[in-house]
Amino acid sequence: MSEQEKNSAIGDDALKFMDDVLTREEIAESDLRVSIIGELIKARKEKGLSQKKLEELSGVRQPIIARMEKGNTNPQLNTILKILAPLGKTLAVVPLEKTNK
């Protein structure tokens, strides 16, 4: 084993493990979920809204919002849409980027 391999970041091992265990589709789904939730959090903070205020505006209970933001739940589409509306956002279906791999 080379010195560089010995000193590689533990994150590299975690990513390799994920690649070995998860399918490409599962990784893509996870990445998309993380991206959507990240955008929801960003939009909520940009609007200066607390989770409690977002509950009042969306009708989605604050504990559900908190679990969703922490990644502890897999929110249903209707929940995401209810949260997006008061944030002035919506979802769009767009073509996937084609990559040559």
Side-chain angles (χ1 to χ4, degrees), residues 37-55:
I37 299 304
E39 288 297 319
L40 289 174
I41 294 168
K42 179 180 167 189
R44 179 178 65 76
K45 289 181 177 181
E46 285 175 350
K47 289 266 188 182
L49 299 175
S50 66
Q51 291 177 350
K52 189 67 178 166
K53 185 63 179 176
L54 186 55
E55 172 187 43

Side-chain angles (χ1 to χ4, degrees), residues 86-100:
L87 297 174
K89 304 285 185 178
T90 191
L91 287 179
V93 177
V94 296
L96 293 173
E97 294 180 27
K98 294 186 179 186
T99 57
N100 295 326

Side-chain angles (χ1 to χ4, degrees), residues 5-100:
E5 289 172 329
K6 288 179 188 175
N7 293 329
S8 87
I10 195 157
D12 292 341
D13 292 338
L15 293 175
K16 181 175 180 348
F17 174 77
M18 286 178 53
D19 284 343
D20 291 345
V21 173
L22 302 175
T23 65
R24 266 190 226 151
E25 291 81 14
E26 290 169 327
I27 292 170
E29 181 181 322
S30 176
D31 289 347
L32 181 58
R33 187 173 28 258
V34 168
S35 178
I36 290 170
I37 299 304
E39 288 297 319
L40 289 174
I41 294 168
K42 179 180 167 189
R44 179 178 65 76
K45 289 181 177 181
E46 285 175 350
K47 289 266 188 182
L49 299 175
S50 66
Q51 291 177 350
K52 189 67 178 166
K53 185 63 179 176
L54 186 55
E55 172 187 43
E56 294 171 18
L57 296 171
S58 69
V60 176
R61 292 182 47 234
Q62 183 275 330
I64 294 170
I65 294 169
R67 285 194 301 269
M68 184 181 68
E69 288 187 1
K70 289 180 184 176
N72 295 341
T73 187
N74 190 4
Q76 294 184 3
L77 181 58
N78 64 337
T79 302
I80 293 172
L81 293 173
K82 286 178 185 178
I83 291 172
L84 282 170
L87 297 174
K89 304 285 185 178
T90 191
L91 287 179
V93 177
V94 296
L96 293 173
E97 294 180 27
K98 294 186 179 186
T99 57
N100 295 326

